[in-house]
Amino acid sequence: MAHLGLVALLVREYEEAIAFYVNALGFDLLEDTRVDEVTRWVVVRPPGTRETALLLARASTPVEQARVGDQTGGCVGWILNTESFDRDHARMKAAGVEFEEEPRHEPYGTVAVFRDLYGNRWDLIQPTDR
């Protein structure tokens, strides 16, 4: 069966994006291949994830540049699942990740909204066992 392999995320510059996703969020850098003089194929994903990863796509047109940090119109666009909310929340805060709220408990799990280095909104969530 088909699955979602890569989700493109617009970034300003490759190096700052790699540093944030690898160092602050703890993602693995899977690939960083030069395509041409300005374009690279940069793929990151959370450790242990097998199917879906992020393609860090450098914004190259004015329209793309205007969307960096606002790809979803202010809605949460990405949901980062964890098996240990407390551990990952503390690690991310220590790495300088900006959380918009204190953790809250919902019927679907423990969750808090954070922003990436560009302002995109993410959920960190430890899903409730169902």
Side-chain angles (χ1 to χ4, degrees):
M1 174 173 271
H3 67 273
L4 190 59
L6 292 174
V7 175
L9 180 69
L10 290 171
V11 302
R12 273 191 304 258
E13 295 296 336
Y14 294 114
E15 295 308 321
E16 68 183 10
I18 291 169
F20 179 82
Y21 285 95
V22 171
N23 298 332
L25 295 191
F27 285 19
D28 294 328
L29 177 62
L30 299 181
E31 186 172 356
D32 184 356
T33 303
R34 182 162 296 285
V35 175
D36 57 37
E37 285 194 28
V38 295
T39 307
R40 290 158 55 183
W41 186 261
V42 179
V43 179
V44 297
R45 74 174 176 208
T49 303
R50 293 183 160 204
E51 292 185 352
T52 306
L54 287 178
L55 173 66
L56 302 180
R58 187 177 160 275
S60 59
T61 68
V63 171
E64 290 173 351
Q65 292 165 355
R67 288 289 180 222
V68 172
D70 188 30
Q71 286 187 231
T72 61
C75 293
V76 168
W78 300 269
I79 299 170
L80 183 59
N81 283 16
T82 178
E83 295 174 348
S84 176
F85 184 92
D86 292 336
R87 175 199 66 210
D88 289 336
H89 183 259
R91 181 187 52 74
M92 290 166 64
K93 282 185 77 165
V97 175
E98 174 191 336
F99 280 85
E100 292 185 1
E101 61 186 358
E102 292 300 314
R104 65 183 195 280
H105 302 284
E106 300 290 347
Y108 52 84
T110 301
V111 63
V113 176
F114 69 93
R115 291 186 181 263
D116 70 12
L117 74 163
Y118 301 113
N120 292 303
R121 298 178 77 220
W122 291 65
D123 274 351
L124 175 65
I125 184 170
Q126 181 175 349
T128 302
D129 293 330
R130 293 185 182 211

